[in-house]
Amino acid sequence: MIPMLLGVSIIAFGLLSLSPGDPLAAQRGNPQVPDELIRRIERQYGFDKPVPEQYLRWLGRVVQGDLGYSFKFKRPVADVIAERMAATLLLALFSTLLTWFLAVPLGVWSALRRSEWPDQVVSVLAFVGMSLPSFFLALLLLYGASVLPELPLIGRIPIGGLVSPGFDQLGPVARVLDVLKHLLLPGVVLAIGGLAGLQRVARGSTLETLSQPYILAARARGLSDRRVLWGHAFRNAANPLITLLGFEFSALLSGAAFTEIITSWPGMGLVALEAVRSKDMFLVMATVLMGSLLLLIGNLLADILHAWNDPRVKLS
Amino acid sequence: MTAPLLEVRDLSVSFGAVQVVDGLSYVIERGQSLGLVGESGCGKSVSSLALLGLLPPRGCRVEGSIRLEGRELVGLPAPQWMPIRGGRIAMVFQDPMTALNPLLTVERHLREVLAIHQGLEGELARKEATRWLDRVGIPDPAARLSTYPHELSGGMRQRVLIAMALAGKPDLLVADEPTTALDVTIQAQILDLLSDLRRELGMSMLFITHDLGVVERVADRVAVLYAGRKVEEGEVSEVLRAPLHPYTDGLVGSVPGFRPRSGRLRSIPGQVPSPAAWPGGCRFHPRCPHSQEDCTRIVPTESSGSRKVACHHALEAQR
Amino acid sequence: MNGTTGTFSRLRSAFASSPLAKTALVVLGGLYLAAVLAGWLAPYGMDDESRGHSWAPPSSWHWVDGRPSIHPVSYTFDENARRVYVEDSSRAVPVRLFVNGRLFGLDSLEAAATSEGGASARLYLLGADARGRDLLSRLLYGSRVSLSIGIVGVSISTLIALVVGGLAGFFGGWVDRLLMRLCEVFMLIPAFYLLMLLRATLPLDWDSRVVYLSIVLILSFIGWAGLARVIRGLVQSLRSADYIVAARALGVPPLVILRRHALPQTFGFLAIQATLSIPGYVVAESGLSLLGLGIQDPQTSWGNLLQEAMSIAEIRLHPWSLIPGLFLFAAVLSYNLAGDALRDALDPRSDR
């Protein structure tokens, strides 16, 4: 895991150092920043040194837990990231749960109704869902939410941000509800994107499993269809889904980035974009590393789940 | 006079427009073992799945009659099949490597059957499961309970599957090529195990195989299938000694050891036709050395009696 | 066995048996044809602006003298100081076919004549953007970028993947280990962050052709790693496949083996992979341009056009700025449907 992250950091650092811009350009252009300060920053971060040395210095600081300073946010990078990471994870968790609870039963149901009209309708819908780019879907839903009248219970669906203005004055329950309401739009956008793909995999995997000889054998022993499906087929069909979970996480992070940007959800994607736009080097490095770390953790979780579900898989 | 354990009459199975089993009839008496012989694609596996109502409901049509102790099984609604499958008729499949759920332990597999068909739960079920594993010759059965299928050899898995089939105390065991996927040395062990258990339990058996040598070992009677139809039936010893149908004759001649006098093995020319392109008349006529003009036109009817043959020019006269 | 004709007839039957896949092919064909003919189909040039028509809504059609015509429009301001367009129904400008060297449009002389209220006529089938440029025309020109970039990107990344995967699979040993580690590292970076990273390294404030190329480069960098690993596995299994070993034992020269046995085997697979990944590239380009990191004005692409719809206030006032997204969606959906049929045809295992 560590060597992989090191590799990522080397590639990211190398690519960034090829970048034509000057990381301190914005500061240099700002008359309020004294030259003295700029020179100090240059010395401190070694921008005047050759790239390999800059990298090693950076690495040395990262190992000590110092991710550097964000010139854009004028705060330590670690603080910015910690805040944003929480928002992204919240969004990812919400939409993953939403996706799985809808897609898996839908996929299994579709498999059982194979080639009948409900299956065909769901299949076509899945293709539509798969083909809707997350940012377009986000824009569509944004538009939808903005023209939607006030709903009972929910009120108006918030169309951006993490919390409403005046959040600080709310009680604890109202705060949770407020965040949930704000989660709705980006969460649904991501869930629809993931739903379609996962439903197809769940359907295919269920069909594949149901055609296995041990399913026929189980039926031949007098097991009811329900028992065959949930007792025998389901866990086997879940195997590819679990593998997918690892990949899905990566797709989710990328998809989440666009959705975050469009619905102004203050997560990692939005911060990555801001960092690139303002050539905030340490912040870019940190977002790339954290993105990769999240992906690694996602894969690790998938591996653990896999080993737990399938006795043939041993954790190495 | 009581009804035979299993009576199959005029069983036909077709997938869409393609008929794969055509008018198959046979009877299995209590305690008797019938071998169903034929090359792959002759319809023997499909006809055995029909016994358990396991053919796909869509796209597949089953006609004729299957009676278990006089009770008609064809057209039985799904819920009524449950107690029959595994409880009255149990099945052992061809490939033990794929017939066990890879994610479940041997114990889970066995206890499932015991719970459904014997109503056994808890410690009692565990004991019974251990007993069955012991019965099918698995060493250290108590320890094997917690193993997963991938930790067992092919022979061991087939023993587990046999134990599972027998644990429901069925009246009829359908064994569909249960040794084909196994090593030769293991094959003999499994065949002996099946024969012994059948005798001990007084169970009937339908043994499906393409191998006449295996039939000789496990069956009392044999029915030979060709291209979806039965061509010959009789006591195993008689059929093997003096086959009446040219196809059976060809089969017997192609197996080493049955005809010590003939010197070299023969083979049947040509290939089994596919169900979509079965020839008219006697389906064997394009490959038959004794084929005559009437064979191409007229479907031969089966002779009556306990020794049956469906051929216009049965071999008996020429012998 | 004849691999190629078998493949083609399987392809034909796969598309023939699926009306959806057939429709998808027709839609794709139409989109590409439109992209090629953009200069003729579009009523206006890519950057033809008309400040007097900022955010003009889609023109409404009128039948005047048995001819489809539009009225000139002029604007007033509402209480929020936003433009409100009003038609001058006293004058009608007919929409003519084969005019100004284009398929259809307004005769420039007829359109140029201004009415008393300052109203002037411009044909906006899908509305205008902030600078009064015709959305339909920009969509058509933009489709050149959006539809070509996927194919170019896939070709380049497949090429990279072929070289890397081929080398790794063929040589094995440390070459294999090194290249595969590299792939894994690249695969570890979520696509969006890699996109951002690469975007940060490449300049976009250059000539539009350079911008196009750098975007293609960025995109190809994202897909190659996963494909390289698959190709490496393919090459490895081919090296030890029974028929290859047999051919080698029979003394068939390596090049002939490669050409006759190995390549046809990989070709189908690569074709599927490529088709399946094109929509991903199309979407990635749109995403980049949407964020303002891709194609820059006055050059255009669907994503770049969709940028106009990025704020909720804009969408509510000019819902037609969402239309480029519909084109994107149609292209991606068609690619996915066609890809699915292709997979069914070429992959014998996926008969479900």
Side-chain angles (χ1 to χ4, degrees), chain A residues 286-307:
Chain A
T287 52
V288 171
L289 271 189
M290 285 301 144
S292 305
L293 185 68
L294 284 182
L295 185 58
L296 262 180
I297 292 172
N299 285 339
L300 195 69
L301 280 178
D303 283 350
I304 292 171
L305 267 179
H306 214 156

Side-chain angles (χ1 to χ4, degrees), chain A residues 114 214 219 221-222 232 236, chain B residues 58 98 101 112 117 164:
Chain A
R114 179 190 184 176
Y214 57 78
R219 295 183 60 211
R221 293 195 295 273
H232 285 263
N236 281 285
Chain B
R58 269 180 296 168
T98 55
N101 186 335
E112 209 168 45
H117 297 295
M164 286 162 63

Side-chain angles (χ1 to χ4, degrees), chain A residues 112 114 116 213-214 216-217 219-225 227 231-232 235-236 309-312, chain B residues 49 52 54 58 82 85-86 93 98-104 109 112-113 116-117 148 150 164:
Chain A
L112 295 179
R114 179 190 184 176
E116 293 172 22
Y214 57 78
L216 186 67
R219 295 183 60 211
R221 293 195 295 273
L223 269 66
S224 65
D225 286 354
R227 209 156 162 165
H232 285 263
R235 270 182 64 195
N236 281 285
N309 185 50
D310 191 336
R312 288 167 298 181
Chain B
L49 286 178
L52 285 162
L54 285 176
R58 269 180 296 168
M82 303 299 164
R85 294 179 188 150
F93 286 89
T98 55
L100 288 167
N101 186 335
L103 304 188
L104 301 183
H109 275 102
E112 209 168 45
V113 179
I116 296 175
H117 297 295
Y148 285 97
H150 71 277
M164 286 162 63

Side-chain angles (χ1 to χ4, degrees), chain C residues 24 26 54 66 85 87 106 111 118 158 161 218 226 263 295-296 299 320 333 337:
Chain C
V26 171
S54 172
Y85 284 90
E87 288 187 330
L106 305 180
T158 304
I218 290 175
L263 282 182
I295 299 292
Q296 309 283 320
Q299 293 295 316
W320 56 89
L333 181 61
L337 287 171

Side-chain angles (χ1 to χ4, degrees), chain C residues 59-74:
Chain C
S59 315
S60 37
W61 292 71
H62 303 276
W63 286 90
V64 178
D65 304 332
R67 255 194 274 180
S69 313
I70 60 160
H71 293 311
V73 292
S74 61

Side-chain angles (χ1 to χ4, degrees), chain C:
Chain C
M1 281 202 284
N2 195 329
T4 18
T5 54
T7 307
F8 278 120
S9 68
R10 286 226 304 266
L11 263 182
R12 242 205 321 276
S13 71
F15 278 99
S17 65
S18 161
L20 275 177
K22 252 189 299 190
T23 317
L25 273 192
V26 171
V27 170
L28 277 181
L31 285 172
Y32 274 93
L33 192 68
V36 171
L37 300 179
W40 181 64
L41 288 177
Y44 295 100
M46 182 172 66
D47 202 24
D48 272 1
E49 60 174 47
S50 166
R51 297 282 173 156
H53 292 90
S54 172
W55 294 122
S59 315
S60 37
W61 292 71
H62 303 276
W63 286 90
V64 178
D65 304 332
R67 255 194 274 180
S69 313
I70 60 160
H71 293 311
V73 292
S74 61
Y75 57 85
T76 56
F77 291 96
D78 69 2
E79 68 274 18
N80 294 324
R82 280 190 291 254
R83 288 186 186 186
V84 182
Y85 284 90
V86 261
E87 288 187 330
D88 169 14
S89 49
S90 66
R91 210 159 62 85
V93 182
V95 177
R96 297 183 185 281
L97 283 176
F98 308 111
V99 74
N100 318 328
R102 294 170 183 277
L103 176 64
F104 67 99
L106 305 180
D107 184 89
S108 31
L109 281 178
E110 285 170 346
T114 24
S115 329
E116 281 153 46
S120 59
R122 257 173 89 91
L123 178 63
Y124 295 116
L125 285 186
L126 301 178
D129 69 3
R131 288 163 54 192
R133 293 176 296 193
D134 175 36
L135 181 59
L136 173 68
S137 304
R138 287 185 63 74
L139 256 175
L140 285 167
Y141 284 105
S143 63
R144 289 182 165 171
V145 172
S146 296
L147 289 174
S148 67
I149 219 155
I151 294 178
V152 181
V154 164
S155 316
I156 295 182
S157 73
T158 304
L159 210 67
I160 302 177
L162 263 177
V163 172
V164 174
L167 286 178
F170 194 79
F171 287 109
W174 67 266
V175 178
D176 180 34
R177 278 198 298 278
L178 184 79
L179 290 174
M180 285 308 107
R181 282 292 157 278
L182 192 69
C183 289
E184 278 163 25
V185 168
F186 266 98
M187 286 168 73
L188 196 60
I189 311 179
F192 176 80
Y193 296 90
L194 189 57
L195 218 55
M196 290 294 111
L197 198 59
L198 292 164
R199 178 54 193 80
T201 62
L202 289 172
L204 287 184
D205 38 5
W206 291 359
D207 176 67
S208 61
R209 271 163 305 178
V210 180
V211 171
Y212 183 86
L213 270 182
S214 26
I215 293 171
V216 167
L217 220 72
I218 290 175
L219 295 186
S220 355
F221 238 80
I222 288 175
W224 69 273
L227 192 55
R229 278 168 61 90
V230 180
I231 288 175
R232 169 226 184 214
L234 228 57
V235 172
Q236 272 184 341
S237 67
L238 275 177
R239 272 198 344 168
S240 56
D242 285 345
Y243 66 91
I244 300 277
V245 175
R248 273 221 295 264
L250 287 172
V252 182
L255 257 178
V256 177
I257 296 180
L258 200 69
R259 195 165 52 82
R260 232 188 257 150
H261 302 285
L263 282 182
Q265 290 275 316
T266 36
F267 188 78
F269 171 80
L270 281 179
I272 301 177
Q273 282 298 315
T275 319
L276 291 181
S277 45
I278 289 177
Y281 287 77
V282 175
V283 170
E285 181 275 324
S286 299
L288 260 185
S289 299
L290 177 78
L291 299 181
L293 302 176
I295 299 292
Q296 309 283 320
D297 213 329
Q299 293 295 316
T300 188
S301 76
W302 293 343
N304 170 278
L305 290 172
L306 210 50
Q307 224 184 323
E308 309 268 16
M310 270 290 267
S311 95
I312 189 67
E314 298 293 338
I315 311 179
R316 290 201 68 174
L317 290 171
H318 333 289
W320 56 89
S321 43
L322 280 172
I323 292 175
L326 289 179
F327 276 71
L328 181 61
F329 169 60
V332 172
L333 181 61
S334 303
Y335 262 120
N336 280 341
L337 287 171
D340 197 54
L342 194 65
R343 183 169 34 200
D344 282 352
L346 295 185
D347 179 5
R349 264 199 69 228
S350 69
D351 51 358
R352 39 173 183 267

